[in-house]
Amino acid sequence: MVRSIPPCPFAVEELIPELAGHARTTTLLYPRAGSPGVRDSSVGGPLLWPADEPWPVCPGAGHDAMVPVVQLFARDVPELLFPAGTDLLQIVWCPCLHDDRDEWVALPRLYWRDAADVSATGLLADPPRPSAYDEDFLPRPCTVSPTPALEYPNWDMPEGLSGTLGERFEEIEAATGHSYYDVATTIQSKVGGYPGWTQPPDWPDCACGRRMEHLLSITATEPAHGRWLPYDDHAAGGDRPVWLTEADPAVEDGIGHGMDMGDLGGIYFFVCRHCPDTPYAYRYDC
């Protein structure tokens, strides 16, 4: 179900013409605690996993089964470009910190599949659960509501602009009452668009020499107020502007996948579509 969200309260490119051409379409996932099935797109839900393929296991000492993190069907995310012959994206990771890696983060794996082929081979009925895990990287099962939106860069400003637009942003906020960063950029779980960096960008390069493109972000932060909170999650009554309205207490506890991911961080996935095997990489910051 696509969510309805408030529009941006000002025309970004009219007030900031330097950003013309830098808008990107992103698909906001809006994970909500629920009971998705193996044939549903989800965050933290069960996966459509082939019975004849072993469940992934982490090679780290004392670690074992990985956990489902993302499952997206092409029918639900038409903006996502799938490799030829596939219509299903799955991500799992080991929910333990890996102190032998610089990131100190969960170890992910990404799979592209043909859902019909998986169904034809039979499904794994009872995937194993990890005996060891860090709760910061163990998602609760969530339904998703992929919602297209337009966003502008935050950390990924065009070269030379990040240091020169600060005063303009302050003027716009004083004139309109809205912060550019609050209404034109997003830090939440999403497909495409700009990575939800909380630290300076660290884009990976493919072995072919090209910079990879952002595939999706899984972040600890999910909006519970403001421009990116869907209308139907707004608290009823009151006289606060829509931009300041907070989530209805009845739904607030169900917002997000429940992972703190270290210190409200995120894991960002990247792919190279120029190489035939669609190699991927990931980055973590908090």
Side-chain angles (χ1 to χ4, degrees), residues 205-229:
D205 291 327
C206 181
C208 72
R210 296 180 176 91
R211 191 175 86 163
M212 291 183 160
E213 67 178 80
H214 176 235
L215 178 69
L216 62 86
S217 294
I218 298 297
T219 66
T221 303
E222 291 292 336
H225 67 277
R227 187 251 160 132
W228 300 107
L229 180 70

Side-chain angles (χ1 to χ4, degrees), residues 138-153:
L138 187 68
R140 62 181 175 179
C142 290
T143 60
V144 293
S145 300
T147 300
L150 203 65
E151 67 171 346
Y152 287 85

